[in-house]
Amino acid sequence: MSLSLSRCVNGITPSATLAIDARAKALKAQGEHIIGFAAGEPDFPTPAYICEAAREALAKGITRYTPSSGTLELRRAICEKLSRDNGLAYTPGEIIVCNGAKHALLNACVAVLDPGDEVLLPAPCWVSYPEMIRMAGGTPVFVPTTEEENFAPSVAKLKAHLSLRTKAVIINSPSNPTGCIYEEALLAEIAAFAVENGLFVISDEIYEKLVYDGRRHVSIASLGDAIKAQTIVVNGLSKTYAMTGWRVGYAAGPGAVIEAMGAYQSHATSNPNSIAQYASVAALENGEECIRAMHDAFDARRKYMVARIEKMEDLSCITPYGAFYVMLNCTKILGRAYKGQVIKDTMAFSALLLDEAKVAVVPGDPFEAPGYCRLSYAINQADIETGLDAIEAFVKGLTP
């Protein structure tokens, strides 16, 4: 008998975003001043009223197991939120609360995929999607998009990658890493494509409140009963309410799918944190003022970052309309060198930038975006200014 690890875990690629963030934190612990554009995490504290609700939960002794799919109170609050914000009608039985939206996405993949099933995945895409698909036994099929298309997929491209094994498509709007927003017309085309071909749609809407320049978030599940019956809507409280460490996400979808996700979760993790669930009810019932303040701060930083990058030689970006990321186009500097070290790709660029300029960015390669780096503007304005200055100075120091 071999004491080997499973093929499943041996095939998993560690998260590039978390790896870069960990490296940056290690350097900080050594006394280095690091500007971190890497982590996808709001830099604001969790609103006070949510923290107060957590203290109330502790005082009430709400520290025991809850139903594995989440408390009825929170699932009802999620139903009210989906109705109010997205025009979606669900019952609590069609909702599951998970340990973060990432957990909800993995549960969804496990619930609908069999070994060999293919999932259409518009790229660039978040680094965890392909790994989740593989962990569930499926195969990610990347559908490439371009900067000229604002990184939005066309249905023609989705059709070109369709096969007899295709089981689902994952969409993410607003998008991590590109900030792309799927317009309603495109969503309607994707919905028709999914219904025609009998595909599940897993719709990651975690950044829905971070939309700018008059754009509007639309949930694909709101575009008719047929597509709603095939869609698993995934969302959470991490980004909107600055609750990344609280680990509360959720999914809404067809009852049979949600029931399957709940059965799997009951054995894998049981219920999410009881105190965080209690506080999440308070979060969903209030908070518009806090959300607006964070949104407006992100918007101002976004505008500054885009304008600043546009003035840089050999670096560029397009304007993102959602989330809190900018895709930095680095293609013009690839092949150049820094102190004799050739920058052959953005993995090399980001490593040198961290070690030499003390700036952390995430290379685009793990996002299926070679030639790009992802910069988060979920950091304070002063660090954005200092960090962009350092990036510009570093690039000016490159040799042919």
Side-chain angles (χ1 to χ4, degrees):
M1 181 68 70
S2 171
L3 297 176
S4 59
L5 297 176
S6 72
R7 280 177 287 181
C8 176
V9 296
N10 276 326
I12 296 172
T13 302
S15 169
T17 52
L18 295 182
I20 291 288
D21 191 50
R23 170 69 175 146
K25 287 176 178 175
L27 289 173
K28 285 182 180 179
Q30 296 170 17
E32 299 277 10
H33 178 63
I34 305 295
I35 303 296
F37 288 108
E41 179 174 45
D43 58 314
F44 298 93
T46 303
Y49 78 97
I50 299 173
C51 296
E52 183 55 40
R55 284 189 282 269
E56 184 178 300
L58 287 169
K60 289 182 174 181
I62 302 175
T63 57
R64 298 185 177 276
Y65 291 131
T66 76
S68 62
S69 292
T71 65
L72 180 59
E73 292 79 9
L74 179 52
R75 286 182 286 128
R76 282 174 173 165
I78 291 167
C79 289
E80 291 172 6
K81 179 266 175 225
L82 290 168
S83 175
R84 178 181 67 243
D85 294 349
N86 308 107
L88 291 168
Y90 289 102
T91 66
E94 297 171 309
I95 305 293
I96 181 172
V97 184
C98 306
N99 296 284
K102 181 181 283 190
H103 186 212
L105 288 162
L106 177 60
N107 284 349
C109 288
V110 171
V112 303
L113 298 180
D114 283 317
D117 284 344
E118 294 179 351
V119 180
L120 300 181
L121 192 53
C125 61
W126 182 42
V127 295
S128 291
Y129 292 141
E131 301 303 331
M132 290 175 178
I133 293 166
R134 294 184 184 110
M135 289 162 68
T139 301
V141 176
F142 298 106
V143 180
T145 68
T146 66
E147 193 174 64
E148 290 70 29
E149 299 169 312
N150 290 315
F151 298 115
S154 68
V155 171
K157 286 187 176 181
L158 291 173
K159 288 180 178 178
H161 290 79
L162 184 69
S163 81
L164 294 176
R165 294 181 178 177
T166 306
K167 184 72 173 290
V169 56
I170 293 180
I171 61 174
N172 176 211
S173 176
S175 165
N176 173 10
T178 67
C180 162
I181 292 177
Y182 291 25
E183 300 293 345
E184 185 171 353
L186 173 59
L187 289 170
E189 291 179 7
I190 295 173
F193 166 74
V195 170
E196 179 184 353
N197 292 283
L199 306 178
F200 283 108
V201 175
I202 300 174
S203 181
D204 183 352
E205 303 179 13
I206 190 73
Y207 293 97
E208 66 162 337
K209 296 290 187 180
L210 301 177
V211 176
Y212 316 106
D213 292 350
R215 264 56 177 189
R216 185 171 70 96
H217 169 73
V218 176
S219 175
I220 193 170
S222 69
L223 300 182
D225 292 340
I227 187 59
K228 183 184 177 214
Q230 295 174 206
T231 300
I232 304 162
V233 176
V234 175
N235 209 323
L237 286 85
S238 291
K239 316 298 183 179
T240 301
Y241 297 94
M243 293 176 66
T244 51
W246 298 65
R247 308 315 301 139
V248 178
Y250 58 86
V257 175
I258 298 301
E259 184 179 353
M261 292 171 64
Y264 178 79
Q265 179 166 295
S266 71
H267 293 291
T269 63
S270 199
N271 64 275
N273 181 286
S274 61
I275 300 158
Q277 286 191 71
Y278 185 91
S280 294
V281 174
L284 290 170
E285 292 176 346
N286 299 282
E288 288 304 313
E289 185 176 339
C290 298
I291 294 170
R292 191 177 307 111
M294 285 190 283
H295 171 280
D296 292 348
F298 288 139
D299 191 17
R301 297 171 189 175
R302 174 186 69 103
K303 290 174 179 174
Y304 173 85
M305 184 176 284
V306 170
R308 182 75 178 78
I309 291 171
E310 285 179 347
K311 296 177 181 177
M312 294 185 186
E313 187 175 350
D314 296 329
L315 295 174
S316 64
C317 69
I318 61 172
T319 300
Y321 295 113
F324 41 61
Y325 307 108
V326 167
M327 288 296 277
L328 184 69
N329 188 327
C330 305
T331 54
K332 290 184 179 180
I333 66 169
L334 299 184
R336 297 185 186 178
Y338 183 82
K339 296 181 179 178
Q341 299 183 69
V342 177
I343 300 174
K344 66 182 189 308
D345 54 28
T346 56
M347 300 286 284
F349 174 66
S350 62
L352 279 170
L353 197 63
L354 182 55
D355 289 337
E356 301 293 337
K358 310 307 178 187
V359 175
V361 302
V362 183
D365 298 73
F367 295 101
E368 297 297 316
Y372 292 83
C373 286
R374 191 195 74 174
L375 275 64
S376 168
Y377 47 90
I379 64 174
N380 67 67
Q381 181 68 24
D383 279 351
I384 290 174
E385 294 175 14
T386 302
L388 292 179
D389 287 344
I391 291 173
E392 183 174 30
F394 178 83
V395 170
K396 284 181 177 178
L398 299 179
T399 56

